[in-house]
Amino acid sequence: LRSAIPGAGRGAYVDGAAMAGSLVAFLPGEVWPKEHLTNKAFRSQFGVDPNYHLSIRYDDILIDARRAPYTVLNDVRSNPFAIAHVANHPPEGMEPNCRTVALNFTENMALERKGLDRYVPNTYAREPMYLGQKALDRDVVMMHGFGLIAARDICNEELLYDYRLSPGANGTYPEWYSVCNEDELRDRWWSGNDKDQ
């Protein structure tokens, strides 16, 4: 569907209602564990992202949705909730109605036994190393993922979340981007040298 934001292209919508805290979308794409992101041979392929479809979790696992299809209901592995890569950043003056959340699909969920593994919209671009991220996980993680949860009750609305972009090399953002929360931004980039902190 077309976004209600002028010039934004497509958008993702809730048709009906979702209560605050509800999982409303999965981010499809290839998963890059942290230990592979330090390898220069792999890092070079992450430089171009014109649609902002590279997302990094707080534990430094990257989800690459650049090749994820916009039409996700096309085969046996289709997931109607794998649409987070189509959700937009809110325009200036609008609050996001979603937040990102790291999702771990674990062995204890028994997704394969229940026939639900086909709904996991991710694959590893490179398997996690035995002594990498998987060694730090409490449960046996079959796949790392990313999703959107409703930040408030949502009813028949477009899904919007804070892209939390980093300033570019010259300290600027794309012209369409506006910072959603100045305090959060300041905390994220706090260097420890600020005298007011």
Side-chain angles (χ1 to χ4, degrees), residues 15-138:
D15 183 13
M19 291 176 49
S22 300
L23 181 65
V24 293
F26 293 108
L27 183 68
E30 292 184 320
V31 177
W32 286 85
K34 177 181 182 176
E35 60 268 22
H36 295 294
L37 298 177
T38 58
N39 184 326
K40 285 185 180 181
F42 297 133
R43 247 193 342 225
S44 64
Q45 63 186 303
F46 300 123
V48 178
D49 184 23
N51 294 317
Y52 302 92
H53 284 170
L54 292 173
S55 298
I56 196 154
R57 296 174 14 154
Y58 291 105
D59 55 2
D60 294 330
I61 292 174
L62 181 119
I63 314 292
D64 182 356
R66 290 178 296 179
R67 290 185 293 205
Y70 286 121
T71 305
V72 293
L73 301 176
N74 56 3
D75 64 20
V76 178
R77 295 191 62 82
S78 293
N79 182 338
F81 292 100
I83 57 171
H85 63 306
V86 186
N88 288 302
H89 180 81
E92 190 168 359
M94 253 181 120
E95 290 290 319
N97 56 14
C98 296
R99 295 189 65 84
T100 57
V101 62
L103 300 171
N104 290 336
F105 300 98
T106 66
E107 190 175 71
N108 291 340
M109 292 175 165
L111 296 176
E112 189 173 351
R113 184 173 49 81
K114 298 173 186 174
L116 299 174
D117 58 322
R118 67 190 186 107
Y119 295 113
V120 176
N122 306 100
T123 56
Y124 283 117
R126 297 282 183 272
E127 285 287 329
M129 293 179 188
Y130 180 70
L131 295 175
Q133 180 66 37
K134 278 193 168 185
L136 302 175
D137 291 325
R138 286 182 150 160

Side-chain angles (χ1 to χ4, degrees), residues 3-5 11-25 83-84 86-91 93-101 147-164 180-181 184:
S3 173
I5 301 169
Y13 289 82
V14 167
D15 183 13
M19 291 176 49
S22 300
L23 181 65
V24 293
I83 57 171
V86 186
N88 288 302
H89 180 81
M94 253 181 120
E95 290 290 319
N97 56 14
C98 296
R99 295 189 65 84
T100 57
V101 62
L148 297 179
I149 58 170
R152 59 170 174 74
D153 291 347
I154 300 173
C155 185
N156 298 319
E157 297 174 52
E158 183 172 357
L159 300 178
L160 304 171
Y161 76 99
D162 185 354
Y163 282 11
R164 297 172 48 102
C180 292
N181 185 322
E184 187 178 273

